[in-house]
Amino acid sequence: MLSQKLARAQPILRSLRPTTSLLTSRVQVRCLSQADVEDPNMNGGYINPPAEKRQFRDPYADWWDKQERRNYGEPVHEDNDILGMFSLEEYTHFKPGKGALLLGAFVATVFGLCAAVYPFYPDKPSAPRAFPGGLDIELGGEGTLHAYSDAE
């Protein structure tokens, strides 16, 4: 009985074994490392120019394509969608420290203006309005919330 169970289990064990041999995987590892030496960027030998945003190129130079700031036949970087003229513009107007200083000055100015206006800002009307009879009939009769009357 045990031998029959083992005979039935052998196809299952064969399916669990890896299909590639150890020799094949060693050859593949050697080929991968060799390919990395021959072509480290894996782009088929394409000459990749240095990564430079086109925004920082001279806009007044004599470019063949003046809008994209490149010459005819110039190789295009593989990240051209990030480095081209139609990508997001680099913000170079302020350093982070100066930007924080300007933001702090703006917040201090707004709070200073609020502190200067607060003592002079009227928080209620100068004379409350009074209605003869408190507008009982106009507001729905007895049992409703009363407005100011003459006595108040």
Side-chain angles (χ1 to χ4, degrees):
M1 287 255 204
L2 183 62
S3 62
Q4 290 176 353
K5 288 183 180 179
L6 289 175
R8 277 188 248 135
Q10 279 186 352
I12 296 171
L13 292 174
R14 284 187 198 133
S15 66
L16 294 177
R17 284 188 207 146
T19 56
T20 59
S21 67
L22 187 59
L23 180 63
T24 308
S25 62
R26 283 184 184 168
V27 170
Q28 288 174 349
V29 169
R30 184 182 62 80
C31 289
L32 287 175
S33 64
Q34 195 174 25
D36 193 39
V37 169
E38 292 172 3
D39 191 10
N41 291 330
M42 302 196 54
N43 57 4
Y46 182 78
I47 299 169
N48 205 12
E52 177 190 9
K53 275 191 77 81
R54 300 255 169 83
Q55 167 191 357
F56 299 125
R57 287 185 170 185
D58 183 21
Y60 303 110
D62 189 27
W63 302 107
W64 180 76
D65 182 2
K66 296 193 184 310
Q67 183 175 6
E68 196 60 34
R69 294 181 189 164
R70 63 182 286 264
N71 288 320
Y72 182 77
E74 179 181 356
V76 178
H77 194 275
E78 63 183 340
D79 293 329
N80 186 48
D81 55 343
I82 298 170
L83 301 171
M85 286 299 293
F86 295 111
S87 65
L88 297 177
E89 188 171 337
E90 288 284 326
Y91 188 78
T92 57
H93 300 294
F94 298 120
K95 301 277 188 235
K98 186 174 180 183
L101 178 73
L102 290 172
L103 180 64
F106 171 74
V107 170
T109 303
V110 168
F111 282 127
L113 183 63
C114 289
V117 168
Y118 181 73
F120 304 108
Y121 191 76
D123 52 340
K124 64 177 186 175
S126 60
R129 293 179 67 181
F131 299 100
L135 295 176
D136 282 337
I137 298 170
E138 287 82 359
L139 292 176
E142 283 190 36
T144 60
L145 184 64
H146 292 284
Y148 291 115
S149 65
D150 291 330
E152 293 178 4

